[in-house]
Amino acid sequence: MATSAHPLTKAIKPLRGIRVLSLALNLPGPAALMRLRAMGATCVKAEPPAPKSAPDGCGDPMGQYNPTAYATLHDGIKVITIDLKSEKGQARLHKELARTDVLLTSFRPSALRKLGLGWQTLHKAWPQLSVVAIVGAPGERAEEPGHDLTY
């Protein structure tokens, strides 16, 4: 006799209906994005244009030095290419932000401001947007570069 699974055995997806756009490269950002997707969020990752030497046109360095880990962390995540330093790229980014709930970054605050993506600028343009910044330390120390899972 076949029985149906108990309703509580279905995965709980508390982030269903939430759209996350990630600009975060290397390991911490993709690891966070993978977890958000597992919790039900619709996840999109914007990567810079790939260097000409990169295999498969991957703009995230992790895709170049560890393609297997990259593939695992990006399973089910839509990856798009955006050159944040170009007018066309900025227009594409802002089109994406218009329908985004959470922006995930791993840039230093000064780099975000240089790209026109500082908190005050983003909040003025997109008041509904929440920003999660992966940095190594709070305050002034957020300017110190680094990538590691202890974030």
Side-chain angles (χ1 to χ4, degrees):
M1 171 187 235
T3 60
S4 61
H6 189 277
L8 293 179
T9 61
K10 288 181 116 180
I12 297 173
K13 303 285 186 180
L15 297 180
R16 188 171 310 217
I18 300 296
R19 185 173 190 273
V20 178
L21 174 63
S22 176
L23 305 177
L25 305 175
N26 287 310
L27 188 54
L33 199 60
M34 179 182 73
R35 302 270 324 256
L36 294 168
R37 182 181 175 280
M39 292 171 37
T42 298
C43 297
V44 177
K45 181 179 175 206
E47 294 183 359
K52 291 182 184 2
S53 61
D56 299 328
C58 186
D60 185 328
M62 183 179 28
Q64 298 164 41
Y65 66 76
N66 194 336
T68 303
Y70 177 90
T72 299
L73 290 169
H74 293 81
D75 184 41
I77 293 170
K78 180 180 179 182
V79 178
I80 59 177
T81 300
I82 297 180
D83 181 357
L84 297 176
K85 296 177 183 177
S86 74
E87 271 188 49
K88 183 178 176 182
Q90 282 287 321
R92 172 94 189 270
L93 174 66
H94 287 278
K95 183 178 176 183
E96 293 292 329
L97 288 173
R99 52 195 192 111
T100 295
D101 300 298
V102 178
L103 176 64
L104 178 65
T105 73
S106 61
F107 291 94
R108 294 185 307 264
S110 61
L112 288 171
R113 284 190 301 274
K114 192 175 181 179
L115 292 167
L117 301 174
W119 167 248
Q120 290 179 342
T121 303
L122 285 173
H123 186 65
K124 184 176 179 182
W126 315 110
Q128 85 291 352
L129 186 67
S130 295
V131 178
V132 176
I134 301 171
V135 294
E140 291 299 315
R141 293 202 59 213
E143 289 297 324
E144 296 175 17
H147 285 277
D148 124 6
L149 284 178
T150 59
Y151 287 121

